Amino acid sequence: MASLNITKARANFPALQSGFIFADNAGGSQAVRGVVDRISDYLLNTNVQLGADYSVSVLSTDRVASGPDIAVKLFNASSPSEIVYGSSSTLNLENLARGLEPTIEAGDEFIVTGEHEANTGPWKKLAARRGGVVKFWHAVPTSPDNPYSVATRIEDLLPLITARTRIVAISACSNILGSIVPVKDVVQAVRREAAAKGAANVEVSVDCVAYAPHRRIDVKEWDVDYCVFSWYKVYGPHCSAMYVRSKALQSSVTSIAHHFLSVGSTAYKLQPGGPGYELVYGTTGVLPYLLSLVPPPANVASSDDPTIAHLDAAFAAIAAHEQELLKPLLGFLTAPEQVARGVRIVGTEHSGLHRVPTVSFVVVGPQAKRSRDIVEVFDRKGGVGIRWGHFYAYTLIDDLEPKLDTADGVVRISLVHYNTVAEVQRIVEILKEALL
Ligand SMILES: Cc1ncc(COP(=O)(O)O)c(C=O)c1O
């Protein structure tokens, strides 16, 4: 397997050259230079309205259309007509719920998690508007020693499915717990259970916002209907892309666009108004960057898409490097000395490919510390960006037992492939002081 050249990778990020340690990447990553160049080129040279016949508008239209072409690869979707751009994943999912609204009947059931509210709130609100029923797939403790080491289990999801199940809304990765959900297995199990119970139209919506920087999304392999991620967490600008399966566009999704626009069975149904053109064009800088991380694999079967195979190799290298970042951080936080002090990981305690380097913890017991006070030590020292709070996964934090203060939440250190082991060592050094 090809490995990452971190120095070379970092050279693509002007922001990293300052030496500041960016460790709040699950909040937002740094933008790669190719993205920034495209945005400024668009604004400086082709900033006109789309769809006119004059030459600059033709170029501008082509540039904006190239955004969905790139997003197709990152989702492994079938066609750019399955891609919607919006200002945020929260907005895209809210628009999706609005587009599905006319098809929802009283008694329809929505299964949601306690994860980020973006893929939960729109379904809860839709259920409230249409007389639907909301059921929670809760994360449960997985370790006898740490009640905050929680995860979702497929066996807890299946009993929630009934003949009335309409939407199953899950996260591919938790922005708090760091754990990766085996989406393909979950969806297979859901579809099998739904068929056995006579649920005719179960659709699956997957939040990949915390997943996309770390692993390759594959909506085809996963067999999901809706999927969303935010480019600003994947080295791009502040906007989001959503995949809407063509079957759903034909049979489930109604248009929320102006009534006189002929959107056909395309994802434009869910894109009222134009997305930020320069940002959509800017996102086309993400794929070339990811592909530049490793050489293309030598032996790709002729039936396989070479770009997808190349992306696979890039994400394999990213995942391998991220494990090297994760090990010392988790190793420090789970060492007997820290556990005796009251440090508890909120999420999966062990490194491994089932986990990304988003690490959350609290300090409880006689030597309890507020999360905000721990982060304040970092802020006083300067040079490192980490954060505390519930990170909009409010329900997940609120569900934890023994209870935590939801306002104070957890301390979260979230790394990505451009972070270095030396940066993690520096974070651990400051942690030693902050936990005293
Ligand atoms: C897991 C997860 N889902 C959804 C979102 C919302 O994304 P956006 O800010 O694009 O609405 C976030 C943002 O932090 C997130 O971490």
Side-chain angles (χ1 to χ4, degrees):
M1 188 187 71
S3 57
L4 292 189
N5 178 335
I6 301 302
T7 309
K8 195 170 149 234
R10 286 175 68 88
N12 288 278
F13 294 89
L16 300 183
Q17 310 315 311
S18 70
F20 188 88
I21 300 175
F22 290 92
D24 181 27
N25 296 288
S29 66
Q30 295 313 295
V32 72
R33 188 187 295 278
V35 165
V36 182
D37 289 347
R38 281 167 174 79
I39 292 172
S40 72
D41 181 16
Y42 185 93
L43 288 173
L44 290 170
N45 299 306
T46 62
N47 191 28
V48 296
Q49 189 50 276
L50 309 188
D53 296 328
Y54 55 89
S55 59
V56 182
S57 178
V58 171
L59 178 55
S60 183
T61 305
D62 283 351
R63 285 182 157 189
V64 176
S66 61
D69 289 340
I70 294 295
V72 160
K73 298 295 179 193
L74 287 178
F75 282 117
N76 196 22
S78 298
S79 150
S81 66
E82 295 178 313
I83 307 297
V84 194
Y85 269 77
S87 61
S88 67
S89 293
T90 302
L91 185 69
N92 268 336
L93 288 164
E94 185 62 37
N95 285 344
L96 172 62
R98 293 275 166 186
L100 290 175
E101 184 155 350
T103 72
I104 302 300
E105 294 172 5
D108 279 353
E109 294 177 0
F110 298 80
I111 300 176
V112 300
T113 67
E115 296 289 356
H116 195 289
E117 197 67 13
N119 197 23
T120 299
W123 306 117
K124 291 194 283 197
K125 287 180 274 178
L126 175 56
R129 293 196 295 273
R130 302 295 287 183
V133 176
V134 176
K135 295 178 169 180
F136 277 90
W137 181 26
H138 290 289
V140 294
T142 57
S143 151
D145 307 319
N146 176 4
Y148 302 122
S149 181
V150 297
T152 47
R153 302 178 312 181
I154 297 179
E155 62 263 38
D156 299 327
L157 171 61
L158 299 185
L160 302 177
I161 294 169
T162 72
R164 296 304 307 270
T165 303
R166 179 67 181 80
I167 297 286
V168 178
I170 60 174
S171 287
C173 179
S174 170
N175 69 332
I176 298 275
L177 309 174
S179 44
I180 291 182
V181 169
V183 178
K184 185 179 175 185
D185 297 346
V186 170
V187 176
Q188 265 178 4
V190 163
R191 298 218 186 277
R192 214 178 305 121
E193 191 78 2
K197 290 177 172 167
N201 188 19
V202 175
E203 291 183 310
V204 180
S205 165
V206 189
D207 177 343
C208 277
V209 177
Y211 178 95
H214 308 286
R215 300 286 191 280
R216 189 175 71 78
I217 301 172
D218 198 329
V219 294
K220 276 191 205 137
E221 172 85 358
W222 294 349
D223 184 23
V224 298
D225 304 283
Y226 311 110
C227 185
V228 72
F229 75 89
S230 306
W231 291 96
Y232 71 96
K233 319 238 188 199
V234 196
Y235 325 115
H238 210 117
C239 63
S240 157
M242 181 164 68
Y243 160 80
V244 186
R245 200 208 290 251
S246 68
K247 182 166 146 263
L249 284 165
Q250 283 154 32
S251 58
S252 305
V253 176
T254 63
S255 175
I256 59 169
H258 296 317
H259 67 90
F260 48 82
L261 293 177
S262 49
V263 291
S265 286
T266 71
Y268 276 124
K269 280 182 166 184
L270 294 176
Q271 197 172 278
Y277 298 152
E278 69 279 10
L279 302 184
V280 175
Y281 179 52
T283 64
T284 65
V286 172
L287 182 66
Y289 167 68
L290 291 171
L291 297 181
S292 77
L293 290 173
V294 295
N299 300 315
V300 179
S302 59
S303 54
D304 289 345
D305 178 335
T307 307
I308 299 295
H310 196 173
L311 258 183
D312 246 346
F315 275 107
I318 285 173
H321 173 67
E322 288 182 352
Q323 289 302 309
E324 297 311 308
L325 305 175
L326 190 50
K327 280 181 212 155
L329 185 56
L330 272 182
F332 171 75
L333 289 167
T334 58
E337 193 189 337
Q338 305 313 327
V339 173
R341 210 191 283 279
V343 174
R344 298 287 179 273
I345 298 289
V346 178
T348 315
E349 290 181 310
H350 307 289
S351 52
L353 289 175
H354 57 283
R355 201 195 196 297
V356 305
T358 298
V359 176
S360 302
F361 69 92
V362 288
V363 184
V364 295
Q367 298 176 68
K369 282 185 186 296
R370 293 191 314 171
S371 299
R372 71 175 67 193
D373 293 336
I374 294 168
V375 173
E376 199 189 291
V377 175
F378 280 78
D379 292 338
R380 266 205 315 269
K381 285 205 160 296
V384 184
I386 64 165
R387 203 163 171 166
W388 56 272
H390 55 65
F391 302 100
Y392 289 17
Y394 182 92
T395 305
L396 186 143
I397 301 284
D398 197 31
D399 280 349
L400 294 171
E401 294 281 353
K403 283 280 178 213
L404 295 176
D405 172 3
T406 44
D408 191 50
V410 298
V411 178
R412 188 179 74 180
I413 298 165
S414 53
L415 308 166
V416 288
H417 71 280
Y418 57 55
N419 289 117
T420 64
V421 172
E423 287 181 334
V424 176
Q425 281 160 354
R426 174 71 187 138
I427 289 169
V428 168
E429 247 173 59
I430 303 177
L431 274 175
K432 281 181 190 158
E433 195 177 319
L435 293 174
L436 274 182

